[in-house]
Amino acid sequence: MSQTNETTPAAAPASADARPGDTPQALARETDLARALAAATDRVPRVLSIAGTDPTGGAGLQADLKSFAAMGAYGMGVVTALVAQNTQGVRGVHTPPQSFLEEQLCSVSDDVEIDAVKIGMLGSADTVETVRRWLSDVRPPLVVFDPVMVASSGDRLLDDDAEAAVRGLVPLADLVTPNIPELAVLTGGAPARTWAEARRQAEDLAASAGVVVLLKGGHLEGEDANDAVVRADAITEVPGERIDTKNTHGTGCSLSSAMAALGAWGLTWEDALPRAKGWLTDALRAADALNVGRGHGPVDHGVRTRHLARPSSWAREQWDACADVRAASSQGRFVTRLAAGTLERARFEWYLAQDLLYLDEYARALASLAAVAPTRRAQAFWARASQECLEVEAALHLSHAREGSPEAAPMTRAYTDHLLAVSARGSYAELAAAVLPCFWLYQAVGEELAEAARPEHPYVDWLATYGTDEFRESTRVAIELTDEAAGHAGPEERSRMAAAFRRSMELERDFFDAPCDALLEPQPLPQR
Ligand SMILES: Nc1ncnc2c1ncn2[C@@H]1O[C@H](COP(=O)(O)OP(=O)(O)O)[C@@H](O)[C@H]1O
Ligand SMILES: Cc1ncc(COP(=O)(O)OP(=O)(O)O)c(N)n1
């Protein structure tokens, strides 16, 4: 699906006073982001979340504050309900007295100029009424309403008798962000099963409540997770890839909070959605690597700011952006069975034989890299790596692998073809980026495997090799040299480097997985 805007073009605010919720007709014909940004404030927006809590930090107020921070806004929070929940479910809800909620709300609005409000879990009809009264008094410039009803665990977060009150609050919002079941409740229909049905409901809601609707496709089935900004007379669809993860807790809270923050920066909803969604998709990709809780874990809100905690590194940014591939590699069948010592010897030997074929070509790629290296240090390092690859690795593999010379499997060929193509057509920097995953992912997976290297493990000597200080040091230098190359590359070359790096990461992952799918001929065990 491409990004479409079927009837009226998305418009940027005409002036600093214009709000993203204004209709396109009322806005000047300013369609480009540059103008939107020109209209935007230079001042850091102060954004308030009115929401319930999640002590494990994945959803609710805690997720909202992380999302505001990720969008560079100043976050504030008023608690509607204290929720005892974790990644597995909700254990209890404690609702403070309404007078205390009002006191929290007024503490903020009496002192701070609020640029945008995001409303999340309200819980009860009384709470809806308290918030409605406060909104009518204070009239914040921008209101995003996420009509939270049910958590991903299936637990209800809104009293049944509060649904009508929630429907009544929708017209006070500029943007409402229901998921598919919530959209059905707001429109009085059945939950949509297709994108077309969902669009129709969102259009109805936009027209009847005079509000902009952020339609979210997370609950639909299929390979896409598309979203859209739906106005009564225009729809802007933003396509999205569905990330294969169970860790989606708090996605709705996070998306609506990011939208509130971007709206407060002065972006139109149409300009804000691809940005918020791009960030959330990265956060979803990195979710499995977070390892928080045993149920539906949170997304990684800090995925784009983690570099602040580490020395700046182009390679590290690429590594972080490939968190999904890393998680799939270390949680894949081959690595988990290898660690557990349950991988059949035939499959292990098949893997080693393919690895040996791969390493022949990998050594050539390293030698090519040495040939075009811009410094003596780089030339010596890559040349040494090529030689070690042939000598040390081959010796170790030969001691384990089967006799004979097998054919390269399609996966092996795909990987070596990729290296060959980058060697032939790419620059030094691109080739450095393409060879790096074989050092880095191998070292990362190897360190996990080295922990499994108990004396009785069937492949103990092989496992121990990859956790060594020498291998760690080689990886460190390979990262450093690739960073050096990225430092000299322009933006276009860096983006080709990123593509080559990611492709190699994916091929590493597939290479790890291939032995478990390989059709093996029964063969006698090798003589040692
Ligand atoms: N598995 C997924 N992969 C990619 N995006 C997803 C996935 N699940 C949800 N999303 C996105 O997360 C956001 C929240 O969506 P949704 O799950 O529909 O709402 P909620 O979290 O409120 O139930 C949307 O942008 C949606 O497209
Ligand atoms: C306190 C609180 N508020 C909202 C939710 C629901 O969060 P949401 O973003 O809809 O994510 P899922 O839980 O549906 O993934 C919550 N759990 N707690």
Side-chain angles (χ1 to χ4, degrees):
M1 187 176 70
S2 61
Q3 188 167 332
T4 56
N5 192 348
E6 291 176 348
T7 47
T8 316
S15 72
D17 297 333
R19 303 179 346 157
D22 290 349
T23 63
Q25 292 91 336
L27 297 167
R29 276 184 288 280
E30 297 171 337
T31 54
D32 64 326
L33 189 57
R35 290 203 198 178
L37 287 172
T41 174
D42 280 339
R43 207 188 45 210
V44 174
R46 296 142 297 189
V47 188
L48 172 66
S49 164
I50 304 172
T53 61
D54 174 1
T56 58
L61 186 63
Q62 285 85 345
D64 295 352
L65 292 173
K66 292 176 192 181
S67 308
F68 295 158
M71 298 298 124
Y74 178 78
M76 302 175 283
V78 159
V79 179
T80 54
L82 292 149
V83 185
Q85 63 172 315
N86 58 24
T87 63
Q88 302 178 56
V90 174
R91 296 179 180 189
V93 177
H94 174 72
T95 308
Q98 294 306 310
S99 58
F100 188 70
L101 172 58
E102 205 175 323
E103 215 171 334
Q104 292 182 71
L105 289 165
C106 294
S107 297
V108 181
S109 55
D110 288 351
D111 187 32
V112 182
E113 211 175 302
I114 300 166
D115 296 302
V117 169
K118 178 259 156 107
I119 302 170
M121 173 185 171
L122 293 170
S124 70
D126 284 351
T127 301
V128 178
E129 176 52 23
T130 304
V131 170
R132 195 198 58 74
R133 264 202 322 272
W134 178 82
L135 283 177
S136 306
D137 285 353
V138 173
R139 298 194 169 273
L142 206 62
V143 177
V144 175
F145 181 25
D146 187 21
V148 173
M149 296 181 188
V150 180
S152 48
S153 53
D155 298 292
R156 277 203 70 91
L157 295 171
L158 181 74
D159 297 345
D160 289 340
D161 64 3
E163 283 177 3
V166 162
R167 272 196 289 269
L169 198 64
V170 171
L172 295 192
D174 297 286
L175 180 73
V176 62
T177 65
N179 61 24
I180 296 278
E182 290 157 356
L183 182 60
V185 171
L186 294 181
T187 53
R193 279 171 311 173
T194 63
W195 180 249
E197 276 174 30
R199 265 179 60 147
R200 268 194 297 280
Q201 289 186 345
E203 280 164 344
D204 286 351
L205 181 62
S208 64
V211 70
V212 182
V213 179
L214 197 173
L215 172 59
K216 305 180 294 189
H219 287 249
L220 293 175
E221 285 183 357
E223 289 189 352
D224 305 327
N226 304 322
D227 296 339
V229 173
V230 181
R231 297 177 186 265
D233 54 1
I235 174 158
T236 302
E237 297 188 342
V238 179
E241 164 203 358
R242 182 171 296 276
I243 308 299
D244 182 18
T245 175
K246 71 176 170 63
N247 299 317
T248 58
H249 180 52
T251 44
C253 303
S254 305
L255 183 70
S256 58
S257 299
M259 290 296 285
L262 292 172
W265 275 113
L267 270 70
T268 62
W269 300 130
E270 285 83 355
D271 284 334
L273 182 56
R275 291 180 167 226
K277 189 169 175 59
W279 162 75
L280 184 63
T281 307
D282 282 355
L284 274 159
R285 279 204 186 99
D288 290 359
L290 266 188
N291 209 8
V292 173
R294 289 189 288 272
H296 293 285
V299 303
D300 185 359
H301 297 91
V303 65
R304 292 193 180 169
T305 43
R306 185 120 327 109
H307 61 274
L308 296 173
R310 297 191 183 128
S312 143
S313 155
W314 176 89
R316 177 67 65 179
E317 275 173 33
Q318 306 312 310
W319 180 251
D320 288 346
C322 289
D324 55 332
V325 186
R326 286 190 278 128
S329 303
S330 57
Q331 290 158 20
R333 289 168 297 165
F334 176 75
V335 175
T336 46
R337 288 183 204 171
L338 188 54
T342 55
L343 185 72
E344 303 104 294
R345 182 163 288 280
R347 294 201 184 278
F348 181 58
E349 289 178 348
W350 185 91
Y351 167 78
L352 292 179
Q354 292 301 317
D355 202 25
L356 202 53
L357 291 169
Y358 164 80
L359 287 171
D360 281 345
E361 296 304 319
Y362 185 64
R364 281 183 217 283
L366 291 170
S368 308
L369 203 47
V372 292
T375 62
R376 279 220 184 89
R377 175 176 176 245
Q379 184 180 2
F381 173 78
W382 299 121
R384 211 168 32 248
S386 172
Q387 189 185 351
E388 278 168 9
C389 177
L390 287 173
E391 289 174 4
V392 182
E393 312 249 10
L396 185 73
H397 280 68
L398 283 173
S399 69
H400 286 75
R402 283 172 193 274
E403 306 280 316
S405 43
E407 293 252 306
M411 197 45 252
T412 312
R413 208 178 291 281
Y415 201 173
T416 54
D417 283 355
H418 166 62
L419 294 177
L420 210 65
V422 182
S423 300
R425 290 198 293 273
S427 63
Y428 165 76
E430 286 168 66
L431 188 53
V435 302
L436 187 56
C438 183
F439 282 90
W440 204 345
L441 194 60
Y442 234 86
Q443 188 229 320
V445 170
E447 285 196 350
E448 289 169 27
L449 288 174
E451 284 171 22
R454 303 168 305 278
E456 68 279 12
H457 194 289
Y459 317 119
V460 61
D461 53 345
W462 188 84
L463 291 185
T465 322
Y466 291 96
T468 61
D469 287 346
E470 290 79 7
F471 197 65
R472 197 172 303 118
E473 178 57 13
S474 294
T475 304
R476 190 192 66 72
V477 178
I479 293 169
E480 198 177 294
L481 292 175
T482 310
D483 268 337
E484 230 168 72
H488 291 110
E492 282 180 12
E493 189 178 8
R494 267 204 298 274
S495 96
R496 287 197 301 275
M497 286 176 76
F501 180 86
R502 186 168 179 92
R503 183 75 190 124
S504 292
M505 289 289 283
E506 290 168 348
L507 288 161
E508 281 286 329
R509 173 201 59 200
D510 297 348
F511 197 90
F512 275 132
D513 231 23
C516 293
D517 293 324
L519 285 176
L520 302 178
E521 302 274 327
Q523 288 186 27
L525 286 176
Q527 299 299 307
R528 296 209 188 281

